Amino acid sequence: ALAPRCGWVLPGLQQRLAVPAVVSPAAARPYAAAAKPAKKDAKRTRQEKVKEKPPPRRRLLMTKPVDDVYLTWLYRRPSYELEQAVGMLKKFQELDFTHPKQFVYINVFLDMALQKKKKVDPFSSSVTLPHRFTDEVNKVLVFTENEQEVEVAQEHGAAIVGGVELIKWILEDEIQADFYVAVPAIIPKLIPLRNKLKQKYPSTRRKSLGSDIPKMVQFFRECHEYTVEDESIIKTRIARLDMPTEHIIANLKTIIHDICTFKPSNFDPIVRRLVIRSSTSEGLLLNLDGILPQVEKVEEKEEENATGENQQKPDQESVST
């Protein structure tokens, strides 16, 4: 009922007007409380749909292109035999009219993994190549305090020869060399240089510690050094492009065989991928068959020979009896 026009108000209506009504947000918007669970349910259904949706099938790479112009990412990268790849590099040089005496490089991608999350530590090594491709001679420093050994080292081409007095100059970078060689008698006095020289510190492992000074000096003056970069890659030059193909192949195999000695043969081969290129050409992926040393097959043959000998021994004993 409506209140009369005389201005008085009903008691119940007066109470309602005196006390302001408190309206909850849920009561004011009855749809808000139900909206949140709906959004959550929608998100859940979307996530479930994504999980149920099978992953897109990756298109298999084709092996060999038919046309001369093609998208490289649709095809597998071709691999070449070593002799074929060297021949292609020589042909690239003729077609491009580039310098015929440019260097040949290899990029070696390594598998450094061992058992129980262990890895082969990055290393550097020196090797004598069967065919030299440069006239550059390394600067060799010889540590010795023997006067006769000093004369021998100088006669065989050592750039610097001396004893303990060289330590101060090396620490202050006044004297630098490509390789450091020492005789066993002086090695205890060279300990202050261990942190300075690091991998170039004389050691039997690197063939830079010994008594045969002429042999060590000759080796390090003409040797070829390579180093592991970025923990698993070796980038080094191996020859000149104008050299005979047989010489390039021999130099490459010498370096690869030396790299393989840094990982035990009972593990997977340390060389994972091998790319060869010249200074001006693209890189060619090589087929590793025939390049890596066949250690496992040799071990199997030795085991077969050993078992054959063991079988022959009882027969011989039975005959003798």
Side-chain angles (χ1 to χ4, degrees), residues 228-262:
V228 176
E229 304 174 7
D230 300 328
E231 297 186 353
S232 61
I233 302 175
I234 295 175
K235 300 177 182 179
T236 183
R237 58 186 185 180
I238 61 169
R240 277 196 331 268
L241 194 57
D242 63 331
M243 294 172 59
T245 301
E246 297 79 13
H247 293 182
I248 298 175
I249 292 175
N251 284 359
L252 183 145
K253 288 186 176 181
T254 300
I255 295 175
I256 294 300
H257 286 202
D258 188 70
I259 293 172
C260 291
T261 60
F262 285 87

Side-chain angles (χ1 to χ4, degrees), residues 103-110 123-127 129 133 223-229 233-240 248 251-256 258-259 274-279:
F103 289 117
V104 178
Y105 298 83
I106 57 172
N107 294 350
V108 189
F109 300 86
L110 306 178
F123 55 87
S124 62
S125 180
S126 303
V127 61
L129 298 179
F133 59 90
C223 72
H224 177 75
E225 185 180 26
Y226 62 87
T227 305
V228 176
E229 304 174 7
I233 302 175
I234 295 175
K235 300 177 182 179
T236 183
R237 58 186 185 180
I238 61 169
R240 277 196 331 268
I248 298 175
N251 284 359
L252 183 145
K253 288 186 176 181
T254 300
I255 295 175
I256 294 300
D258 188 70
I259 293 172
L274 179 59
V275 176
I276 188 172
R277 65 176 180 85
S278 66
S279 301

Side-chain angles (χ1 to χ4, degrees), residues 111-152:
D111 179 10
M112 309 284 276
L114 295 173
Q115 288 181 348
K116 298 180 180 179
K117 297 183 179 180
K118 293 183 179 180
K119 293 183 178 180
V120 179
D121 295 329
F123 55 87
S124 62
S125 180
S126 303
V127 61
T128 301
L129 298 179
H131 306 283
R132 284 178 54 81
F133 59 90
T134 178
D135 296 331
E136 298 175 1
V137 177
N138 299 318
K139 187 177 180 180
V140 182
L141 185 148
V142 179
F143 289 106
T144 181
E145 294 179 330
N146 189 311
E147 295 181 359
Q148 295 180 353
E149 292 176 345
V150 170
E151 294 178 0
V152 171

Side-chain angles (χ1 to χ4, degrees), residues 30-309:
Y31 59 85
K36 290 184 179 179
K39 289 183 179 179
K40 291 182 179 179
D41 294 339
K43 288 183 180 179
R44 289 176 183 173
T45 54
R46 288 175 186 173
Q47 292 176 356
E48 290 176 357
K49 287 181 180 179
V50 171
K51 290 181 180 179
E52 292 176 359
K53 187 178 179 181
R57 292 184 179 181
R58 189 174 181 180
R59 186 175 179 180
L60 296 177
L61 296 177
M62 293 177 280
T63 55
K64 191 176 181 180
V66 179
D67 300 326
D68 295 335
V69 180
Y70 58 92
L71 298 173
T72 56
W73 57 271
L74 288 177
Y75 296 88
R76 297 177 185 174
R77 186 175 181 179
S79 61
Y80 303 94
E81 299 296 330
L82 179 54
E83 187 173 355
Q84 179 188 6
V86 174
M88 292 174 66
L89 294 182
K90 290 179 176 291
K91 195 172 292 184
F92 293 159
Q93 180 271 323
E94 295 175 359
L95 295 174
D96 296 339
F97 297 99
T98 54
H99 199 275
K101 293 186 178 182
Q102 58 186 292
F103 289 117
V104 178
Y105 298 83
I106 57 172
N107 294 350
V108 189
F109 300 86
L110 306 178
D111 179 10
M112 309 284 276
L114 295 173
Q115 288 181 348
K116 298 180 180 179
K117 297 183 179 180
K118 293 183 179 180
K119 293 183 178 180
V120 179
D121 295 329
F123 55 87
S124 62
S125 180
S126 303
V127 61
T128 301
L129 298 179
H131 306 283
R132 284 178 54 81
F133 59 90
T134 178
D135 296 331
E136 298 175 1
V137 177
N138 299 318
K139 187 177 180 180
V140 182
L141 185 148
V142 179
F143 289 106
T144 181
E145 294 179 330
N146 189 311
E147 295 181 359
Q148 295 180 353
E149 292 176 345
V150 170
E151 294 178 0
V152 171
Q154 292 175 346
E155 290 175 359
H156 286 81
I160 304 170
V161 185
V164 183
E165 69 277 2
L166 298 178
I167 295 177
K168 177 183 177 181
W169 302 108
I170 295 173
L171 292 174
E172 295 178 356
D173 294 329
E174 295 291 337
I175 293 178
Q176 293 180 352
D178 297 319
F179 296 98
Y180 299 84
V181 172
V183 294
I186 199 175
I187 199 67
K189 301 178 183 179
L190 302 181
I191 294 176
L193 294 175
R194 185 181 293 274
N195 293 332
K196 178 68 176 178
L197 300 181
K198 296 180 180 179
Q199 293 185 352
K200 291 188 177 182
Y201 187 79
S203 66
T204 53
R205 168 71 180 174
R206 291 180 56 85
K207 303 176 184 178
S208 56
L209 178 61
S211 302
D212 194 345
I213 293 178
K215 183 178 179 180
M216 291 189 296
V217 172
Q218 182 180 1
F219 172 77
F220 285 106
R221 286 183 80 243
E222 301 177 356
C223 72
H224 177 75
E225 185 180 26
Y226 62 87
T227 305
V228 176
E229 304 174 7
D230 300 328
E231 297 186 353
S232 61
I233 302 175
I234 295 175
K235 300 177 182 179
T236 183
R237 58 186 185 180
I238 61 169
R240 277 196 331 268
L241 194 57
D242 63 331
M243 294 172 59
T245 301
E246 297 79 13
H247 293 182
I248 298 175
I249 292 175
N251 284 359
L252 183 145
K253 288 186 176 181
T254 300
I255 295 175
I256 294 300
H257 286 202
D258 188 70
I259 293 172
C260 291
T261 60
F262 285 87
K263 188 174 182 180
S265 58
N266 55 341
F267 291 94
D268 293 334
I270 190 171
V271 178
R272 184 166 49 90
R273 287 173 57 217
L274 179 59
V275 176
I276 188 172
R277 65 176 180 85
S278 66
S279 301
T280 59
S281 74
E282 61 177 302
L284 301 176
L285 182 65
L286 294 178
N287 186 356
L288 296 177
D289 295 338
I291 298 178
L292 301 182
Q294 300 177 354
V295 179
E296 296 180 357
K297 293 182 179 180
V298 173
E299 291 179 353
E300 290 177 358
K301 289 182 180 179
E302 290 178 354
E303 291 178 359
E304 291 177 358
N305 294 334
T307 53
E309 291 177 357

